[in-house]
Amino acid sequence: TQLLEQSPQFLSIQEGENLTVYCNSSSVFSSLQWYRQEPGEGPVLLVTVVTGGEVKKLKRLTFQFGDARKDSSLHITAAQPGDTGLYLCAGARGGATNKLIFGTGTLLAVQP
Amino acid sequence: KAGVTQTPRYLIKTRGQQVTLSCSPISGHRSVSWYQQTPGQGLQFLFEYFSETQRNKGNFPGRFSGRQFSNSRSEMNVSTLELGDSALYLCASSFQGINTEAFFGQGTRLTVV
């Protein structure tokens, strides 16, 4: 059972375009993290959101945690070829564990 | 500060063999988690160790096991390898014991032939 669904699965856009990736669940998470992964490498942490309704900005990337802490979105403004990669959301349930439940992933390709 | 180090980076094994993968977490991090990543199933949680104790375990068969040493380094072992065990195995370390950010190593690419 996949608890975190990401959409879209694949996205191919031109440099300069904007895009939004969604991460949805029917479950509540105590926090949610976004990662970017390049082929053959481990995921790199981009941001952690903790509070319902929280918005965080990282240069051209804007992350939002849903009010009910069940969903999140990642918006990229003026995408660049360097943004190409697999974007993964991951939810933490809290309690005495660092276990993460990963989303299905969104593969982004930004064409120059 | 050095990141998470996984060794080896690549492995090729034959069905039926066993394999041991190693992970050195970021200095000061006491929690180490292991994940399996495949194209079909994505990233799936294997187990987590904290202060040498397994704190959580995913839905994998008993052929998958792990341990953590007093210096927080961790190993995972897969016995009686099957073709379906071919995957990227990722280790993640976290600083505190509870619900904190995870930092991943580069992974070990295991191919079973």
Side-chain angles (χ1 to χ4, degrees):
Chain A
T1 303
Q2 188 59 259
L3 296 179
L4 274 169
E5 295 287 341
Q6 285 184 237
S7 61
Q9 276 189 295
F10 304 99
L11 197 52
S12 180
I13 61 172
Q14 295 296 124
E15 183 176 0
E17 292 184 20
N18 302 332
L19 66 118
T20 302
V21 177
Y22 298 94
C23 174
N24 295 304
S25 173
S26 57
S27 302
V28 176
F29 292 99
S30 62
S31 67
L32 196 136
Q33 301 176 17
W34 283 92
Y35 293 84
R36 181 171 69 216
Q37 184 179 24
E38 298 190 12
E41 302 291 329
V44 175
L45 179 65
L46 296 174
V47 78
T48 299
V49 286
V50 179
T51 306
E54 181 177 5
V55 176
K56 279 192 174 179
K57 292 192 175 184
L58 184 67
K59 295 184 181 177
R60 294 176 294 101
L61 279 60
T62 302
F63 304 86
Q64 185 164 7
F65 202 11
D67 290 340
R69 304 207 317 275
K70 293 182 180 181
D71 54 80
S72 181
S73 64
L74 157 61
H75 182 79
I76 301 179
T77 303
Q80 298 177 0
D83 295 327
T84 294
L86 177 67
Y87 287 82
L88 295 157
C89 62
R93 286 287 178 80
T97 179
N98 285 310
K99 174 183 176 180
L100 292 173
I101 298 166
F102 276 86
T104 47
T106 296
L107 187 58
L108 171 66
V110 182
Q111 312 297 334
Chain B
K1 202 175 194 180
V4 179
T5 303
Q6 290 188 246
T7 56
R9 286 293 308 275
Y10 305 94
L11 265 178
I12 300 176
K13 290 287 187 179
T14 305
R15 273 181 300 175
Q17 287 187 311
Q18 74 164 13
V19 66
T20 299
L21 312 181
S22 179
C23 172
S24 292
I26 293 170
S27 178
H29 285 198
R30 295 163 63 192
S31 170
V32 174
S33 298
W34 289 89
Y35 293 82
Q36 181 196 65
Q37 186 176 28
T38 59
Q41 299 298 318
L43 267 145
Q44 296 193 88
F45 174 79
L46 280 158
F47 27 65
E48 177 194 6
Y49 287 87
F50 180 74
S51 293
E52 302 178 64
T53 301
Q54 187 181 87
R55 187 161 66 175
N56 210 335
K57 190 177 189 303
N59 295 324
F60 280 82
R63 299 185 297 105
F64 292 81
S65 63
R67 59 178 176 169
Q68 186 180 33
F69 303 95
S70 58
N71 61 358
S72 293
R73 190 177 71 85
S74 178
E75 290 181 347
M76 67 163 283
N77 184 78
V78 187
S79 61
T80 319
L81 284 165
E82 301 177 358
L83 295 179
D85 297 333
S86 295
L88 181 66
Y89 289 89
L90 293 160
C91 166
S93 81
S94 301
F95 176 60
Q96 294 179 347
I98 299 174
N99 199 22
T100 56
E101 298 172 332
F103 298 90
F104 283 83
Q106 292 179 297
T108 294
R109 170 69 65 184
L110 172 65
T111 302
V112 182
V113 298

